Amino acid sequence: QNYLDNFWPDLKAAHELFDSILQARRERESESQENHGKEYPEHLPVEILEAGIKSGRYLQGTLNVNKHRAQLEAFVRLQGFGSKDTG
C-alpha cells in the first residue's frame, strides 16, 4: 500500500485492486479462524467418524491422486485390506 501511495497515487485501478485483495485475504483469515485453522470444514464430527469406523459403517483409507491427471485419476487404498485391494 505504501508503494502505491508513494509512487502511483493517481492510479485508481491499482488501489481498487489492492483493496480487493486485502479484503479477500481478511475474509479468508476470518474463515480459517472459524474453522480452527483447517482449510476445509469437517462434514462429520470426529467422534461420529471414529464410531462409524469402529462399527463397520464407514471404511478408513488413504486417497491417492495422480499428480499429472488429478482431475481424472484417483483411488482409495482401504486400510485393513491386502495391498492389491483398492476401491
Side-chain angles (χ1 to χ4, degrees):
Q1 185 170 5
N2 290 338
Y3 174 79
L4 290 175
D5 291 340
N6 292 328
F7 295 102
W8 302 98
D10 299 329
L11 192 56
K12 185 178 177 183
H15 286 273
E16 289 175 358
L17 178 61
F18 177 80
D19 292 339
S20 174
I21 292 170
L22 187 61
Q23 179 64 27
R25 183 178 173 194
R26 287 180 181 151
E27 289 175 7
R28 189 172 186 180
E29 288 173 355
S30 174
E31 290 173 1
S32 178
Q33 289 174 354
E34 290 173 5
N35 294 329
H36 306 290
K38 297 177 184 171
E39 188 172 349
Y40 300 101
E42 296 176 353
H43 293 283
L44 295 172
V46 174
E47 299 81 22
I48 293 175
L49 290 175
E50 289 174 346
I53 291 169
K54 190 173 183 178
S55 71
R57 180 174 183 190
Y58 300 126
L59 300 174
Q60 185 173 4
T62 304
L63 176 64
N64 295 288
V65 180
N66 182 331
K67 68 180 178 180
H68 303 288
R69 297 174 43 106
Q71 297 291 326
L72 302 173
E73 293 181 12
F75 67 94
V76 176
R77 186 176 311 274
L78 300 175
Q79 292 182 2
F81 289 87
S83 62
K84 294 183 181 181
D85 293 335
T86 57

